[in-house]
Amino acid sequence: MLLDLVDELGPVVDAYPSWHPLVTHHDSRTPVTTPTDRCGYQGLDHTICFANGFVTCPYGDGQEVIDSVATLPHSSIAEITAERLDVTFYNEAATSILVRCNWQRPLEAGGLIPLALAVPLILEKELPCWRWSEVAETWETMRPYLIGRPHGSRSSLFVSQETGQAIKKLWNALIYTGMFGPIKV
């Protein structure tokens, strides 16, 4: 079952980009990169994240997780769904719940998010921050928020090297406008 999930949802990851549909429903002043109650999920326990979904294994029937997923805001970019799995991943008293990110637009080979999706999602999340930001964060600081973890210098398990490089150029162009304030060094 675990190998099937990796085939369907992509590799295991440490954290999502803050604009990924699985974590995007958070306060921009305190961004979230892993599924928690701060981005709309209730009842998570013993959670493993994949590039396009996660499995959580709360004690009990997991209905709290399923109900919280059902209340997430609708998106035309991706549908988030939850279902019980008939497999024990953690403990006999825990229920395995699969939360999927069903993208409504095509992904690149290997399930990577294309630039045409990543850029608008980043801009929707980051541009409003200019109203209250005091300093501009550099690429080095923002990289885990913009391309997820684990990551290299400009690619990750979410975006290709070309997409990551374009995101880096976009981010640098934004911070050098001064819109977020002076660059924090």
Side-chain angles (χ1 to χ4, degrees), residues 73-94:
H74 174 75
S75 166
S76 61
I77 300 302
E79 178 188 22
I80 309 301
T81 61
E83 67 181 271
R84 287 181 185 86
L85 297 177
D86 189 23
V87 63
T88 300
F89 280 130
Y90 178 70
N91 182 294
E92 290 294 330

Side-chain angles (χ1 to χ4, degrees), residues 66-78:
I66 293 170
D67 291 344
S68 67
V69 168
T71 64
L72 292 174
H74 174 75
S75 166
S76 61
I77 300 302

Side-chain angles (χ1 to χ4, degrees), residues 96-139:
S96 298
I97 306 290
L98 171 61
V99 177
R100 276 191 187 93
C101 177
N102 301 301
W103 291 92
Q104 302 301 304
R105 297 190 186 168
L107 298 179
E108 293 179 348
L112 296 175
I113 301 167
L115 187 61
L117 280 175
V119 166
L121 292 170
I122 290 168
L123 292 176
E124 283 178 352
K125 207 65 188 158
E126 297 300 331
L127 280 182
C129 300
W130 78 271
R131 295 185 182 275
W132 51 263
S133 293
E134 295 178 15
V135 296
E137 300 286 353
T138 65
W139 171 252

Side-chain angles (χ1 to χ4, degrees), residues 14 22 33 54 90 92 100 105 112 140 151 159:
D14 296 330
L22 286 169
T33 58
F54 62 88
Y90 178 70
E92 290 294 330
R100 276 191 187 93
R105 297 190 186 168
L112 296 175
E140 292 305 313
H151 59 70
V159 298

